[in-house]
Amino acid sequence: MALPSGVRKFFGHALYFAQCGEQHVAAKVLKGFGSAGVLEIVENAQGGTFRAAYTVKFQEAVFVLHVFQKKSKGGIATPKPEMDIIRARLKVAEKLSQEMRDA
């Protein structure tokens, strides 16, 4: 909820595409995850650049792994701490997806 309203709406619209089995034009594969199906949406707004990382790897749900404001320190690359959060949450999503299948 801390994101600007326009950014929230944009991310929501792009994630709706993912829920429908489609890929929004703003969604790009996030490098560093191989075939894990992790995508990223980038939106520029007043106050900075915002990113949302999600996965469509699991049939049960679209999991939003991380949403953050990019602070420019190393060009366009996603900072390592943010990538670590995404990796950790992807593991949690795998477990949740398995639980959903087993239920």
Side-chain angles (χ1 to χ4, degrees):
M1 295 305 295
L3 299 175
S5 175
V7 173
R8 283 197 321 266
K9 288 177 183 177
F10 182 78
F11 285 169
H13 180 73
L15 290 167
Y16 176 74
F17 274 62
Q19 289 175 320
C20 294
E22 300 176 25
Q23 184 174 326
H24 191 274
V25 295
K28 308 286 186 232
V29 174
L30 183 58
K31 294 178 183 178
F33 290 92
S35 61
V38 177
L39 294 104
E40 178 181 50
I41 309 162
V42 178
E43 177 67 348
N44 294 311
Q46 187 174 11
T49 299
F50 299 86
R51 296 181 179 201
Y54 67 97
T55 184
V56 294
K57 176 180 179 180
F58 312 108
Q59 208 171 18
E60 294 74 25
V62 172
F63 288 93
V64 178
L65 304 171
H66 192 33
V67 177
F68 60 98
Q69 183 176 3
K70 169 77 167 68
K71 305 288 185 179
S72 183
K73 290 184 181 172
I76 62 171
T78 304
K80 185 182 180 324
E82 308 297 347
M83 294 293 280
D84 292 343
I85 290 170
I86 295 168
R87 281 190 187 88
R89 291 181 180 169
L90 182 59
K91 289 180 184 179
V92 172
E94 288 175 17
K95 291 178 185 176
L96 288 171
S97 179
Q98 185 62 46
E99 289 175 10
M100 291 169 82
R101 279 193 297 274
D102 293 344

